Amino acid sequence: LHDHPWWNVSIILTGSYIEHLPGGVSVVRRRWWPVFRCAEAAHRIELPQGVKAVWTLFITGPRVREWGFHCPNGWRHWQDFYPRGRPGKVGRGCDD
């Protein structure tokens, strides 16, 4: 799961997706139904079987924080996964 540096709104224009949330909750998101998220809202997006592409309108507010991933041992900054200034390199991720 990951979060974002700003509050955001997603509106699916074509297709659909499954949004995975904390606690093992999964929600199917469909066209035209807006999804409002605070910056700290952890989630992961997955395309359902047979869906080749999804187009969304993604609206953001002002940057209020850094973003990262929610690992078993807690939140990790995105640079732990993708080191800044090192294209193609992979960081330590959730590993301690």
Side-chain angles (χ1 to χ4, degrees), residues 12 15-21 25-31 33 35 45-48 51:
I12 297 176
S16 65
Y17 60 73
I18 301 165
E19 183 171 17
H20 299 280
L21 304 169
V25 175
S26 297
V27 180
V28 175
R29 304 292 188 190
R30 301 190 189 283
R31 267 180 15 149
W33 288 91
V35 179
I45 303 299
E46 175 186 1
L47 295 184
V51 174

Side-chain angles (χ1 to χ4, degrees), residues 78-84 86-95:
W78 68 269
Q79 288 181 352
D80 287 345
F81 289 79
Y82 308 103
R84 182 176 292 198
R86 297 179 58 208
K89 299 294 181 188
V90 177
R92 67 183 177 143
C94 286
D95 295 338

